[in-house]
């Protein structure tokens, strides 16, 4: 392999999905995974299969359906986790088991209530078991940057001796600094000679805002895999942002000996929007690379300079990250063929009934909106082409004025196909719709968060609504897109309700967090 090629390991669907309030269903995870494959990431960490039946199902679906990248499943260092991870990824063309155990004394003593000797045994047994199942095994000494380096090196060497092919050095709590991380990795190479025969990887959290800088420092020390997540989502302050580390290497790689990745950078903006829409995590306007202002120039001097010559104030071209791909694509006279072609250009292959549904929805929107842009189509596809297996909004009627409390009545298609009605007088029109939905479905869910954004600019922009609701201790998110924000809100609420009811019915236990493992070796469910 090319010595300067840095592998991109995307953990949006695992570490990213652990962010508070994010809860993606299998269809949504699959959609993100397909887009990650289009982005050409090298590895997709698809989830933590032991965490819940839903996590397992999603990892397995991704392993079976997404081609190209390696598909990894996470497992703590215990037999139950590793077997479950293997079951989930084994049908992939390129499966990987990623197993981990902490090497810091803080974790060993206080959290695992174990000893260093136990950790030696756990690492040895876990990697040996994983390697007997799968040729591609990654091992992570969790909280490595706060651990004794010689002990961590010993554990890494044990993992390598047992057949690990990638060693990942997590800065689990986002504590290290670039120079320190570089020195740490350099010393690790000296203490664990086997490291030079495997891929060394970085996994940096952003608690001090240094995740990307630390990942870059790791690459300079010889790491050739970077673990990162789209929009930097992840535990607490998140992980290194994929788009930032990729564009750093793309823009400045020549200054560091030609380091580069295989990422199709023109897919970055779209991937970022998709993840933001499905997770409900907004992208701050000034976010590097994918923020809506990342290439905007406000000051007169800058505008003047850029108009004369773009490079006066821009180090990257917005088109290289796919930010200016939002050209007008269709109008209300466009036909089914034009829609199919436009969707194909966006990477969606849509035929048969799915195309009919998309076309009907497109016509409704095109009647209300003069121009349907690529961004509108993306939102439409995310909204419309998902499998609707639960509750769906059939119709609604809302009366709102400044003189009477708003009143809503709704008709909901139930999962068994029957129609249910409900009405309610609420504090506001959206509140009334949500309560009317609860009345129609007989489910007493509580709204926790509500947000509405515009998909694109202009008065006729599509409304994009995100809700988080709670039912019997289970939280679930839902999104809806429509020209009318009441309709978008109803769709979003019903999707979240479908997910919450499924979780409550299955009796999903709260997910065990990899960052805070249960005392080993007992597997949690
Ligand atoms: O941050 C961390 O240590 C992790 C490990 C599971 C790799 O996410
Ligand atoms: Zn992490």
């Amino acid at each position: 392999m090319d010595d300067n090629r840095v592998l991109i390991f995307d953990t949006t669907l695992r570490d990213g999905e652990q962010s508070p309030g994010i809860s993606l269903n299998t269809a949504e995870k699959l959609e993100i995974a397909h887009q990650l494959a289009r982005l050409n990431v090298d590895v997709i960490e698809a989830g933590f299969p032991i965490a819940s039946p839903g996590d397992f199902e999603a990892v397995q679906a991704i392993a079976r359906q997404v081609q190209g990248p390696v598909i990894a499943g996470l497992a703590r260092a215990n037999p139950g986790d590793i077997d479950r991870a293997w079951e989930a990824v084994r049908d992939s063309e390129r499966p990987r088991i990623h197993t981990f155990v902490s090497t810091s004394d803080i974790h060993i003593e206080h959290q695992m209530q174990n000893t260093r000797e136990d950790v030696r045994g756990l690492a040895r047994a876990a990697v040996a078991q994983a390697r007997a199942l799968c040729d591609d095994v990654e091992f992570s000494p969790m909280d490595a940057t706060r651990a004794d380096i010689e002990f961590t090196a010993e554990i890494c060497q044990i993992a390598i001796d047992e057949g690990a092919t990638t060693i990942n050095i997590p800065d689990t709590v986002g504590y290290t600094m670039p120079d320190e991380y570089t020195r740490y990795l350099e010393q690790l190479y000296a203490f664990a000679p086997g490291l030079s025969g495997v891929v060394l990887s970085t996994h940096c959290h952003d608690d001090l805002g240094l995740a990307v800088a630390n990942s870059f420092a790791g690459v300079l020390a010889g790491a050739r895999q970077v673990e990162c997540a789209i929009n930097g989502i992840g535990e607490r302050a998140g992980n290194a942002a994929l788009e930032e580390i990729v564009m750093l290497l793309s823009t400045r790689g020549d200054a560091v000996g030609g380091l580069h990745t295989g990422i199709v950078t023109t897919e970055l903006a779209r991937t970022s929007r998709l993840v933001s829409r499905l997770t409900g995590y907004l992208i701050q306007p000034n976010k590097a690379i994918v923020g809506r202002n990342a290439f905007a120039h406000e000051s007169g001097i800058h505008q003047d300079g850029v108009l004369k010559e773009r490079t006066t104030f821009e180090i990257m071209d917005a088109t290289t990250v796919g930010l200016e791909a939002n050209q007008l694509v269709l109008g209300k006279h466009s036909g089914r063929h034009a829609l199919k072609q436009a969707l194909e250009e966006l990477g969606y292959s849509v035929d048969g009934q799915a195309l009919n549904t998309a076309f009907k929805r497109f016509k409704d929107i095109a009647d209300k909106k003069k121009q349907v842009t690529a961004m509108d189509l993306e939102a439409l596809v995310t909204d419309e082409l998902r499998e609707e297996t639960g509750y769906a909004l059939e119709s609604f009627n809302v009366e709102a004025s400044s003189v009477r409390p708003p009143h809503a009545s709704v008709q909901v298609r139930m999962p068994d196909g029957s129609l249910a009605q409900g009405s309610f007088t609420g504090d506001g029109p959206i509140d009334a719709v949500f309560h009317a939905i609860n009345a129609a479905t007989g489910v007493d869910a509580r709204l926790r968060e509500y947000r509405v954004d515009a998909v694109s600019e202009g008065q006729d922009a599509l409304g994009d609504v995100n809700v988080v609701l709670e039912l019997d201790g289970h939280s679930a998110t839902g999104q809806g897109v429509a020209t009318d924000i009441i309709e978008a809100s109803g769709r979003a609420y019903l999707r979240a309700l479908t997910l919450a009811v499924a979780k409550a019915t299955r009796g999903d236990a709260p997910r065990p967090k990899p960052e805070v493992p249960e005392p080993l070796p007992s597997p949690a469910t």
Side-chain angles (χ1 to χ4, degrees):
M1 193 182 122
D2 170 359
D3 283 348
N4 283 335
R5 169 76 190 274
V6 178
L7 301 172
I8 295 297
F9 174 116
D10 179 274
T11 187
T12 307
L13 294 172
R14 200 281 295 168
D15 212 318
E17 220 250 342
Q18 282 170 226
S19 313
I22 297 184
S23 164
L24 301 167
N25 62 29
T26 298
E28 292 165 341
K29 287 183 186 173
L30 261 172
E31 191 173 345
I32 292 177
H34 279 298
Q35 178 58 27
L36 291 171
R38 278 194 284 270
L39 184 64
N40 206 29
V41 304
D42 298 283
V43 186
I44 295 175
E45 187 165 48
F48 186 23
I50 194 87
S52 72
D55 281 49
F56 178 85
E57 178 194 292
V59 178
Q60 190 173 58
I62 291 169
R64 289 180 176 169
Q65 295 177 41
V66 178
Q67 266 103 43
V70 169
I71 307 297
L74 185 69
R76 289 168 297 182
N78 72 56
D81 275 37
I82 292 168
D83 279 341
R84 195 79 176 137
W86 174 238
E87 273 311 302
V89 297
R90 64 183 302 164
D91 293 337
S92 162
E93 283 172 350
R94 303 172 67 200
R96 174 180 293 186
I97 298 175
H98 176 193
T99 186
F100 69 97
V101 63
S102 293
T103 54
S104 73
D105 290 331
I106 307 180
H107 281 205
I108 296 172
E109 282 165 28
H110 300 291
Q111 208 214 339
M112 297 162 62
Q113 295 173 348
N114 261 340
T115 63
R116 286 190 177 190
E117 193 46 34
D118 292 328
V119 170
R120 288 186 184 96
L122 287 167
R124 192 186 310 282
V127 177
Q129 182 193 350
R131 198 48 221 270
L133 298 167
C134 183
D135 288 344
D136 186 345
V137 172
E138 173 168 334
F139 174 77
S140 295
M142 187 155 84
D143 203 21
T145 53
R146 292 193 302 163
D148 174 54
I149 187 162
E150 292 188 41
F151 178 62
T152 302
E154 185 192 336
I155 298 299
C156 290
Q157 187 61 53
I158 288 175
I160 294 164
D161 292 343
E162 293 300 330
T165 42
T166 299
I167 297 289
N168 175 48
I169 305 300
D171 181 31
T172 303
V173 291
Y175 182 68
T176 199
M177 299 177 288
D179 282 355
E180 192 179 67
Y181 195 52
T182 304
R183 271 199 311 280
Y184 190 97
L185 297 188
E186 284 168 355
Q187 279 180 305
L188 215 51
Y189 273 115
F191 288 133
L195 261 189
S196 43
V198 300
V199 176
L200 182 65
S201 167
T202 67
H203 179 107
C204 298
H205 279 271
D206 208 31
D207 299 65
L208 293 172
L210 290 173
V212 171
N214 287 335
S215 305
F216 185 60
V219 170
L220 296 184
R224 286 296 176 268
Q225 175 179 284
V226 173
E227 301 200 356
C228 44
I230 300 293
N231 300 336
I233 61 173
E235 277 283 344
R236 306 179 310 279
N239 286 84
L242 181 149
E243 59 281 3
E244 294 180 21
I245 188 78
V246 164
M247 287 315 290
L248 171 57
L249 292 176
S250 158
T251 309
R252 301 304 317 276
D254 285 347
V256 286
L259 292 171
H260 60 277
T261 71
I263 294 295
V264 178
T265 60
T266 47
E267 290 291 329
L268 284 171
R270 182 142 77 96
T271 316
S272 161
R273 286 195 296 269
L274 177 68
V275 169
S276 172
R277 178 169 301 123
L278 291 182
T279 58
Y281 268 45
L282 274 186
I283 304 164
Q284 75 197 53
N286 61 332
K287 162 86 180 60
I289 317 297
V290 291
R292 92 169 161 264
N293 292 344
F295 292 86
H297 301 278
E298 185 67 25
S299 101
I301 297 175
H302 287 209
Q303 285 175 350
D304 179 54
V306 168
L307 286 174
K308 289 180 176 136
E309 164 54 42
R310 188 187 58 75
T311 54
T312 49
F313 288 97
E314 278 185 6
I315 58 165
M316 293 168 277
D317 184 337
T319 57
T320 61
V321 302
L323 261 183
E324 299 211 328
N326 186 27
Q327 311 293 348
L328 164 69
V329 281
L330 299 173
K332 73 174 182 182
H333 299 297
S334 306
R336 196 178 301 258
H337 184 69
L339 176 68
K340 182 170 157 55
Q341 216 171 347
L343 290 172
E344 266 161 18
E345 270 167 38
L346 288 172
Y348 300 102
S349 162
V350 182
D351 278 304
Q353 188 48 40
L355 180 61
N356 292 344
T357 315
F359 188 63
K360 182 173 173 313
R361 191 80 196 283
F362 159 72
K363 278 288 180 194
D364 287 349
I365 287 171
D367 272 347
K368 294 178 189 145
K369 234 178 153 286
K370 270 197 226 93
Q371 304 177 338
V372 180
T373 66
M375 249 148 91
D376 293 329
L377 280 185
E378 258 173 51
L380 186 71
V381 169
T382 318
D383 190 65
E384 193 57 52
L385 296 188
R386 62 180 78 187
E387 239 180 293
E388 296 283 13
T389 49
Y391 304 102
L393 186 65
E394 201 61 27
S395 65
F396 65 91
N397 181 36
V398 181
E399 290 154 26
S401 77
S402 57
V403 289
R404 263 194 310 274
H407 180 79
S409 48
V410 298
Q411 223 184 9
V412 174
R413 173 124 356 237
M414 303 292 276
D416 64 3
S418 62
L419 283 178
Q421 330 255 1
S423 53
F424 200 86
T425 301
D427 290 339
I430 305 282
D431 180 57
V433 168
F434 291 168
H435 279 94
I437 289 176
N438 280 1
T441 57
V443 182
D444 194 18
R446 274 159 201 274
L447 184 69
R448 286 277 168 254
E449 282 173 41
Y450 173 81
R451 220 191 47 238
V452 57
D453 301 300
V455 170
S456 52
E457 285 161 15
Q459 269 192 334
D460 60 357
L462 288 176
D464 185 354
V465 171
N466 268 275
V467 305
V468 181
L469 55 76
E470 202 178 291
L471 178 68
D472 299 339
H474 296 275
S475 77
T477 56
Q479 301 76 35
V481 174
T483 42
D484 180 325
I485 62 158
I486 296 182
E487 183 185 337
S489 303
R491 283 169 168 270
Y493 192 86
L494 282 164
R495 283 186 178 132
L497 200 67
T498 302
L499 201 61
V501 169
K503 283 183 171 180
T505 317
R506 279 199 309 254
D508 282 4
R511 158 181 322 178
K513 298 273 182 183
E515 314 295 336
V516 189
E518 311 286 331
L520 294 174
S522 58
T525 51

